[in-house]
Each structure stands twice: as C-alpha cells, then as structure tokens.
C-alpha cells in the first residue's frame, strides 16, 4: 500500500526521531560555582521556551515547583503554565536571573507567577515555603519536589559528613517537610511529584551521597503514595537520565566529562530539560488517575526497573 500520510504528518514524524529531535551536543569544558545559572551555561539548556505547546491539561491548578528557576524544574514550570496552571517557583536567591526568565514565561502564558526565593538548608524557609505558596496562589494542587544538590567526590575518604548532610537536607529532608505541609492543604485530585534519578539504580562511584539520596526518594515516593491514595492525592516520581543542566557544570561531575555527557545512552545523546516536562504534566494531570507510586523513567533508553 502506498504511503497515505500527508507531507505534514510525515514531516512531523521525521522531526520526532528521538535520535535527532534535540542536538547531539558536545558541550565545552566549563565550570560555575554552585548553584550556577542556566543563562551562563554553554549551550544554554533547553527549557522549552520556544517549543512547549500546552493543551489546557492543568487548567486552573495551582503548582509549586522547587528548583523551578533552571533546568528540569524550569521546563516543568513553563509547561505547567502553558497547560493552564498558576505556578510558584522556589529557588536560591543567587538564581534570581534564571528565575526571572521563568516567571516572565509563566506570566506570558496568562497565568499567575509567584517567586519564592530561599535556601532549603534554612529550617525557617523550608517549613514556611509551602504555606507561602498556598497564601499567594490561593491553595495548592500540585507540588513538584525537584530541587537537588549533586557534587561529585572521587573517594569516600574525601566525602565529608557535612556534604552528606547538605545533600540529604536538600534532596531528602526538604521533600519530607514540603510534602507534609502540602498534604495538609491538598484535596482529592492533587498530586505530588518527586524528581529522583537513574542514579537511584545505577549509582556512579563518585556520587555516593547523591545516588543514595535518590534511592531514598524512590522509596519515600512509593510509601507516601500508599498513605495518600485513600485521600485522593497521588504521589509519583520522575527519574531523569543524563539531562543537560547547570547542575553538571557546578561540580555535578568532572568538567573533562562534559563533552561526552549523555553519549553512552542507547539514544546516543543527553536529554534536554524540555524533554522531561511532559512526564511531569502527565503525572500532574487527571490523565494519569490510575498511576500511583510510580517512577517514570525518562533516560534515553538505559534499562531501569
Ligand atoms: P538545576 O541546577 O537546574 O536545578 C537544581 C535546582 O535545585 C537549582 O536550580 C536550585 O534552585 C535548587 N537547589 C539546590 N540547592 C538548593 C538549596 N539549598 N535550596 C533551595 N534550592 C536549591 O539542575 P537540574 O538538572 O534541572 O536538577 C533538577 C533535579 O533533577 C534535581 O533534583 C536533580 O537531582 C535531578 N536530576 C537531574 C539529572 C540531570 O542529568 N540533570 C538527572 C537526574 C536527576
Ligand atoms: Mg538553578
């Protein structure tokens, strides 16, 4: 049978080739001090500003995204707004420049944008940020626990308790504190989505604290999901693979490895933050109503549980 497709449909399919839909980049060696800025990263990570098209799947919802200034969290914030949600983003005060870009995109989508700068290491901020989001958004229906800290250390002899404590405070403890506060405000249909990582299953030997914190997030997600399902609140996680973001440039890994970043995946390239956003949109929307306690892997094909 001859090809019945319109040239437009065929063209779209070719555009959607996962090998080439985003660049097969070789990023230059570079470094920024923590937390770093997307806008100073080369190439600038793609958070979907020019490409994400919403379909109204989150109309009228109110979302808080931690680490919503850059990378995956920024792509999620932009996508949520274009899907019709009001969005609050939490981020470190040093990240204001990145945050402004995202806040502007949320406003351009016709939605309310709320800025909540602060340090999740700070107990006062950690315990108040959800209440502040609730106050400014008029409620909360979606919490995305996405803020994360990743600092590579070659040898456990050099890995200090202080670093382990900081990694676990940002990646894990904050998730407990914010989820507790959010659940107290959420009604049926609400969702909590946690960012874990392929590192939870395939720990890099230089990321002991980070990888183990991500494994903790998976167990936390599956446990809390069972606790909150009877209340109609769904809890799920997204496990990205190698996604181009400033996290890699701020000692997430040795800078000599940046040119090869993501090339060892079956797709042969790293992911871009915009490629993660649809997973969060799916888990936040009613379309995923029977998906509870799941970890959605978006990693370019590396086998994962
Ligand atoms: P990113 O640097 O753009 O985002 C991380 C964000 O965490 C920062 O923007 C910052 O706002 C926030 N953060 C860090 N320390 C904080 C603190 N003390 N207080 C408040 N906020 C703090 O990088 P990203 O890659 O988009 O990371 C987002 C999430 O994705 C993280 O949880 C990361 O572990 C996870 N992840 C990333 C990859 C990847 O390859 N990039 C892979 C798997 C998982
Ligand atoms: Mg940032």
């Amino acid at each position: 049978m001859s090809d019945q497709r319109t040239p437009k449909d065929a063209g779209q399919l070719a555009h959607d080739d996962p090998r080439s839909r985003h660049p097969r980049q070789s990023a230059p060696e570079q470094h920024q001090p923590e937390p770093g800025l997307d806008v100073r990263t080369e190439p600038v990570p793609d958070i979907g500003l020019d490409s994400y098209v919403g379909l109204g799947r989150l109309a009228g919802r109110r979302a808080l995204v931690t680490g919503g200034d850059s990378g995956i969290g920024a792509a999620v914030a932009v996508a949520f707004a274009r899907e019709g949600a009001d969005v609050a983003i939490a981020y470190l005060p040093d990240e204001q420049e990145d945050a402004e870009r995202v806040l502007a995109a949320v406003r351009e989508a016709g939605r309310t944008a709320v800025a909540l700068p602060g340090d999740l290491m700070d107990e006062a901020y950690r315990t108040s940020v959800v209440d502040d989001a609730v106050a400014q958004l008029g409620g909360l229906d979606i919490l995305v626990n996405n803020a994360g800290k990743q600092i590579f250390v070659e040898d456990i002899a050099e890995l200090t308790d202080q670093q382990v404590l900081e990694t676990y405070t940002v990646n894990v403890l904050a998730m407990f504190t914010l989820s507790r506060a959010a659940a107290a405000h959420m009604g049926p249909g609400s969702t909590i989505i946690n960012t874990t990582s392929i590192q939870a299953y395939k720990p890099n030997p230089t990321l002991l604290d980070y990888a183990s914190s991500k494994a903790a997030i998976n167990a936390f997600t599956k446990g809390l999901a069972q606790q909150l399902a009877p209340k109609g609140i769904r809890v799920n996680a997204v496990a990205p693979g190698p996604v181009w973001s400033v996290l890699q440039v701020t000692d997430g890994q040795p800078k000599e490895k940046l040119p090869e970043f993501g090339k060892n995946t079956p797709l042969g390239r790293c992911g871009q933050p915009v490629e993660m956003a649809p997973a969060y949109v799916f888990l936040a929307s009613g379309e995923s109503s029977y998906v509870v306690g799941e970890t959605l892997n978006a990693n370019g094909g590396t086998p994962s549980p």
Side-chain angles (χ1 to χ4, degrees):
M1 203 168 115
S2 65
D3 193 336
Q4 303 290 311
R5 298 172 303 172
T6 64
K8 185 164 175 270
D9 288 347
Q12 183 62 43
L13 190 66
H15 169 74
D16 284 346
D17 181 338
R19 299 167 301 176
S20 53
R21 198 171 197 273
H22 292 273
R24 303 172 83 78
Q25 68 179 39
S26 293
E29 291 186 17
Q30 58 196 296
H31 183 263
Q32 293 183 46
E34 237 193 326
L37 288 176
D38 260 5
V39 291
R40 286 191 206 145
T41 305
E42 196 185 334
V44 175
D46 183 353
I47 61 168
L49 290 173
D50 299 326
S51 58
Y52 191 90
V53 180
L55 299 169
R57 283 180 288 194
L58 302 176
R61 308 236 170 146
R62 299 153 299 182
L64 168 61
V65 182
T66 68
D69 59 296
S70 59
I72 296 167
V76 170
V78 170
F80 278 10
R82 292 184 184 173
E83 295 288 357
D86 293 332
V87 183
I89 58 170
Y91 53 94
L92 287 160
D94 285 350
E95 299 174 305
Q96 191 64 33
E97 192 178 343
D98 273 353
E100 294 294 347
R101 249 176 18 134
V102 176
L103 295 164
V106 173
R107 283 188 215 104
E108 276 162 28
R111 307 308 310 180
T112 300
V114 175
L116 297 170
D119 190 338
L120 289 168
M121 295 287 299
D122 171 13
E123 188 180 359
Y125 174 77
R126 202 167 59 237
T127 50
S128 63
V129 64
V130 166
D131 288 345
D132 288 347
V134 169
Q136 295 198 51
L137 294 170
L140 190 68
D141 313 303
I142 305 167
L143 169 65
V144 179
N145 286 305
N146 167 76
K149 182 180 172 74
Q150 173 184 332
I151 303 289
F152 85 93
V153 176
E154 302 277 1
D155 189 328
I156 193 169
E158 311 296 327
L159 176 58
T160 62
D161 280 0
Q162 184 60 30
Q163 174 168 326
V164 177
L165 201 60
E166 288 179 13
T167 302
Y168 268 75
T169 301
V170 176
N171 297 10
V172 182
L173 177 60
M175 198 168 278
F176 280 82
T177 312
L178 271 61
S179 300
R180 183 192 307 123
H185 291 285
M186 286 176 156
S190 299
T191 55
I192 297 175
I193 306 165
N194 302 322
T195 303
T196 176
S197 168
I198 191 167
Q199 290 292 325
Y201 320 113
K202 274 193 78 183
N204 187 295
T206 67
L207 295 174
L208 298 182
D209 52 335
Y210 177 82
S212 59
S213 80
K214 293 297 180 181
I217 291 168
N218 266 338
F220 172 77
T221 300
K222 290 179 194 309
L224 185 64
Q226 296 173 72
Q227 212 180 93
L228 296 184
K231 296 181 178 169
I233 301 170
R234 293 182 300 109
V235 185
N236 289 288
V238 177
V243 173
W244 184 240
S245 75
V246 69
L247 195 72
Q248 310 304 332
V249 173
T250 51
D251 290 323
Q253 57 180 295
K255 62 178 184 308
E256 307 76 55
K257 292 198 172 166
L258 294 177
E260 296 304 308
F261 183 65
K263 288 184 181 165
N264 60 353
T265 60
L267 282 184
R269 64 171 178 86
C270 64
Q272 292 293 327
V274 63
E275 298 185 270
M276 302 297 111
Y280 292 80
V281 169
F282 170 67
L283 293 173
S285 81
E287 290 172 358
S288 59
S289 53
Y290 209 57
V291 180
V292 177
E294 174 64 351
T295 299
L296 204 167
N297 294 285
N299 65 25
T302 302
S304 41

